[in-house]
Amino acid sequence: MMAVVEATASEADTGSAEDLAAAALSLARCFAAGATMWCVARQWPAHGRHVAVEFVHPVIVGKRALPAVNIEGIDVIPTVRMLARPGDVLLVIGSADDAGTAELLRRAEAWGLTRIWLGAGPRPSSGAAEHVVWLEGEDPALVSHSGDMVLLYHLLWELTHVVFEHPGLLEAPPACTDEVCITCSDEGRVAEVRSIGAGGLVDVMVEGVLETIDATLVEPVAPGDLLLIHAGVALTTFEELRR
């Protein structure tokens, strides 16, 4: 699969072959597990419609239709929150400086979605999504009419089907069984507040699972706030993303 990606990506200057291959592999595994892909392109709505149609409407005989839905609007967060299920995929198309796209992606981490970000211009910061596939050097102002962006998600579609042609690739790697001490691990997880309880306890969604945590260190909090939690305790809030 990498040989195909490298050859095509080199010809079209569509970014990293490794990024494309990794995104396609992850996407195929999610689809095989029953996921729906939710597409959002706040800045360039036509691309959102196009990529959703590309996946749901197989134009090549023998290719399967894959569940993909485009969501449009300025504030799509409530819609994605309501419709998406843990294990689904969020594919966004947008530049790194679009605050609304960045907020959606951050919340999607708490909802338990696999995040794929296609874009152009300066790259987003590390960790913004599980998969970032970028048009290096492309002017974001021109992406609405960019054939390179169309080629990028056409490649993603093709490579996803390449994975389906090799069933062995659809097997997810075994989950890590190493023990991690919750008192000394560096891990901080993003959580979205769902409801407020008594005594500083709040119900939050984290990695798609509802948990009750201690938020006394960061009170007051409100439903919709984003928290960084560790070992069942909220350590800080994402002030810039408060709604």
Side-chain angles (χ1 to χ4, degrees):
M1 185 170 75
M2 281 299 303
V4 176
V5 185
E6 288 172 354
T8 313
S10 175
E11 292 174 7
D13 192 25
T14 56
S16 167
E18 290 82 5
D19 293 340
L20 268 172
L25 178 60
S26 180
L27 185 53
R29 286 173 173 172
C30 288
F31 279 132
T36 295
M37 183 171 74
W38 304 94
C39 308
V40 175
R42 285 165 33 92
Q43 296 165 287
W44 312 307
H47 285 310
R49 299 182 207 115
H50 191 162
V51 71
V53 168
E54 198 70 28
F55 278 84
V56 80
H57 176 58
V59 295
I60 299 177
V61 174
K63 303 298 183 184
R64 67 179 71 186
L66 299 169
V69 180
N70 179 53
I71 299 177
E72 293 191 17
I74 298 300
D75 186 9
V76 300
I77 287 173
T79 304
V80 179
R81 180 192 285 123
M82 177 179 65
L83 296 177
R85 303 165 301 165
D88 280 352
V89 176
L90 173 66
L91 183 144
V92 302
I93 304 176
S95 63
D97 61 359
D98 180 49
T101 295
E103 179 180 359
L104 175 62
L105 285 162
R106 177 63 73 186
R107 291 180 182 276
E109 181 178 359
W111 302 336
L113 308 185
T114 296
R115 302 163 297 166
I116 300 175
W117 194 351
L118 310 183
R123 289 181 70 93
S125 59
S126 177
E130 282 75 29
H131 302 285
V132 175
V133 187
W134 222 247
L135 293 172
E136 302 287 354
E138 183 96 5
D139 184 352
L142 303 178
V143 168
S144 61
H145 307 291
S146 171
D148 286 344
M149 179 59 72
V150 175
L151 179 57
L152 193 66
Y153 49 75
H154 274 235
L155 275 170
L156 182 63
W157 177 86
E158 285 192 48
L159 293 170
T160 299
H161 284 282
V162 169
V163 176
F164 277 114
E165 293 168 2
H166 299 81
L169 294 175
L170 295 173
E171 298 179 7
C176 177
T177 58
D178 294 340
E179 291 187 3
V180 178
C181 174
I182 64 172
T183 61
C184 62
S185 170
D186 291 331
E187 182 184 14
R189 298 181 295 162
V190 176
E192 184 183 67
V193 177
R194 290 298 173 91
S195 62
I196 310 299
L201 298 180
V202 298
D203 290 334
V204 299
M205 186 64 69
V206 54
E207 297 178 353
V209 177
L210 194 64
E211 296 184 9
T212 300
I213 66 162
D214 184 342
T216 53
L217 293 177
V218 297
E219 287 183 318
V221 296
D225 284 356
L226 287 179
L227 310 175
L228 186 67
I229 69 170
H230 169 70
V233 176
L235 302 179
T236 187
T237 62
F238 290 81
E239 294 288 339
E240 72 279 11
L241 296 182
R242 281 201 169 192
R243 300 177 59 77

